[in-house]
Amino acid sequence: MSLEKVIKIDQIEIVGDYKAIQVRTATVVTDDGKELSRSFHRQVLQCDADISGEDAEVQAVCNAVWTDEVKAAYAKHIEEQNEFFPSATPEEVGGE
């Protein structure tokens, strides 16, 4: 009996106007080469994310699609969202 657990990136998708990167990681457990289980984890990276700790392939995709224009458009979008939905301060909600 030879159990093995392998974690690998099995899907990278570019989504939306601001080129969000969705990374799906598969965790596969096998016994003597026969798959016993497979599970998935997904994370989403926006163009303002620190990608220094990401896999080299993910970094390459991010660097290819996150142009200065995309980054500027995303920053403008976030700024506009903050105007419509400002963060409440503790004083505004009756806190300290």
Side-chain angles (χ1 to χ4, degrees):
M1 182 164 111
S2 174
L3 288 176
E4 183 178 19
K5 176 180 174 182
V6 176
I7 300 172
K8 63 181 181 176
I9 294 173
D10 74 333
Q11 193 174 73
I12 301 173
E13 298 174 310
I14 303 164
V15 181
D17 294 335
Y18 308 111
K19 310 300 184 208
I21 306 295
Q22 295 187 139
V23 181
R24 187 175 83 174
T25 305
T27 302
V28 182
V29 177
T30 59
D31 183 10
D32 291 329
K34 182 178 178 183
E35 185 173 313
L36 299 177
S37 72
R38 179 180 297 254
S39 61
F40 300 101
H41 171 78
R42 184 179 300 273
Q43 69 173 346
V44 179
L45 301 168
Q46 298 293 347
C47 63
D48 61 350
D50 175 10
I51 59 169
S52 60
E54 299 297 329
D55 181 83
E57 184 178 17
V58 173
Q59 288 184 26
V61 172
C62 292
N63 290 328
V65 299
W66 290 347
T67 63
D68 290 339
E69 292 80 16
V70 169
K71 290 177 182 179
Y74 182 71
K76 182 179 177 185
H77 169 72
I78 293 299
E79 184 177 307
E80 290 171 352
Q81 292 299 307
N82 288 337
E83 289 175 14
F84 288 112
F85 305 105
S87 296
T89 64
E91 294 81 23
E92 292 171 321
V93 292
E96 294 181 29

